[in-house]
Amino acid sequence: MTQNDRARAARPGTTATGLRWPGGRNVAVVLNVAYEAWSDGGVSGVGPMGNPLPSGVFDSNADSYGRYGANAGVQRLMRTLDRYNVAADFFISGILAERDPGQVKAIAEAGHGVVGHGYAQDLIPAKLTSADDEKYIRSTTRLLAQATGRQPAGWVSPRATPGPDTARHLVSLGYRWQCDSLDSDLPYLQRFENGSLIAIPLTIEFNDLSHSMRFGRTPRQFIDLFEDALLHILSDTDDTVILDVLVHTHCYGRPAGAWAFGEIARKCATRDDIWLTTRGQIADHFVGEWSAALAPRSR
């Protein structure tokens, strides 16, 4: 099978045309926390300093910046979510379950979704061989399951950039859904020769890294951007969508940004015109509403 054949096979199969969220709502909001780390000797390509270093120079500043998430940011964001009694999906690097399984266990025990997010952020599936891609998915799955006592059901690749065989590896390893897809508003079923996978597309408009690091906007503007979009999207009652709010433990896990994520969580928790949810719950709803359509095809 060529890469083009793989791409065609991964396009929407059974789509959720006409789907509404519970209570007839048209907007589902998912809060997401990226809890990430890099391989030993690897660093983030995004750091707080604007002047890039010469090629081959180890960026100790970016390395230190990235370590903040595990040292302090994840705990602050968990406290923030607990304050408003809301659940989020945590995108977790497998290497963090290896380095600090107790923290990953605490995330699961707090009721948050544990989503496989690759072994390390510098190991992007699209850059790996199929065999290495499978190896790192397998090790990440094992480490998260050991830390939490339960295999993760959902996956998002580092950079949300899968390789040509990533979805098939996920099916083989028992995953139920993935959010590497950016090509639709609503969930759809991907069918492969070895099984099926629910694609729950990821929306990218509300992302702290692109918001603050690339454009220099403030946390207050992060809130305003979300609220303005929500107001107008709610008014289009014929349109059913998912809105993701994504923050990283090493970026908005810091004091100056965490309050903004908390303010969005607080406001969403008080609304009854949106469905504040997780991707696991979206997968359940999709299957429940579309069980007949999702039945195995006759051969």
Side-chain angles (χ1 to χ4, degrees):
M1 180 178 286
T2 68
Q3 187 160 336
N4 286 338
D5 291 332
R6 292 186 179 100
R8 281 192 291 271
R11 288 174 185 167
T14 303
T15 58
T17 305
L19 182 70
R20 303 295 283 186
W21 305 128
R25 299 175 179 89
N26 70 309
V27 177
V29 175
V30 182
L31 303 176
N32 305 280
V33 176
Y35 180 37
E36 300 172 342
W38 288 259
S39 302
D40 293 338
V43 298
S44 170
V46 180
M49 298 298 113
N51 51 325
L53 296 176
S55 178
V57 176
F58 180 76
D59 192 340
S60 56
N61 179 276
D63 177 56
S64 183
Y65 182 80
R67 292 180 185 276
Y68 183 89
N71 292 339
V74 66
Q75 296 91 345
R76 177 173 291 109
L77 290 173
M78 285 185 66
R79 292 195 301 270
T80 299
L81 292 164
D82 182 64
R83 185 177 305 127
Y84 302 115
N85 193 31
V86 295
D89 279 339
F90 277 69
F91 301 167
I92 304 177
S93 300
I95 196 170
L96 288 169
E98 190 171 52
R99 292 173 177 171
D100 189 0
Q103 180 60 63
V104 174
K105 181 180 180 180
I107 291 169
E109 289 183 342
H112 302 299
V114 171
V115 182
H117 192 30
Y119 180 73
Q121 285 300 293
D122 49 306
L123 299 172
I124 298 170
K127 296 167 60 177
L128 303 174
T129 66
S130 180
D132 280 345
D133 185 21
E134 192 273 342
K135 177 182 73 174
Y136 287 120
I137 295 172
R138 185 178 295 277
S139 61
T140 298
T141 304
R142 173 179 54 80
L143 289 164
L144 292 174
Q146 287 175 348
T148 65
R150 184 176 183 180
Q151 175 169 320
W155 178 271
V156 58
S157 297
R159 200 177 176 270
T161 307
D165 293 319
T166 299
R168 289 169 179 78
H169 297 322
L170 294 174
V171 171
S172 294
L173 291 170
Y175 279 84
R176 188 183 186 209
W177 57 266
Q178 57 86 4
C179 57
D180 283 334
S181 302
L182 309 175
D183 57 354
S184 186
D185 289 318
L186 295 174
Y188 59 87
L189 191 70
Q190 294 177 300
R191 287 189 171 95
F192 304 96
E193 66 279 359
N194 61 334
S196 61
L197 196 64
I198 302 170
I200 307 177
L202 184 68
T203 57
I204 59 174
E205 290 79 10
F206 312 112
N207 183 319
D208 60 342
L209 283 179
S210 58
H211 174 86
S212 63
M213 300 290 283
R214 297 179 186 173
F215 301 108
R217 299 190 184 113
T218 67
R220 172 59 66 185
Q221 289 172 310
F222 190 65
I223 300 170
D224 292 343
L225 180 69
F226 175 78
E227 290 189 325
D228 287 348
L230 181 62
L231 174 67
H232 291 281
I233 294 168
L234 279 169
S235 68
D236 186 358
T237 56
D238 292 329
D239 199 14
T240 305
V241 301
I242 300 167
L243 295 182
D244 287 289
V245 180
L246 173 61
V247 297
H248 296 70
T249 60
H250 60 288
C251 186
Y252 269 20
R254 297 169 188 268
W259 73 270
F261 182 61
E263 188 67 3
I264 290 174
R266 182 189 68 81
K267 291 186 176 186
C268 287
T270 62
R271 302 188 69 115
D272 59 10
D273 55 352
I274 65 172
W275 184 32
L276 182 58
T277 188
T278 64
R279 269 187 167 69
Q281 292 173 331
I282 289 175
D284 289 342
H285 182 71
F286 175 66
V287 171
E289 292 294 306
W290 289 81
S291 56
L294 298 178
R297 296 170 176 169
S298 59
R299 295 184 182 275

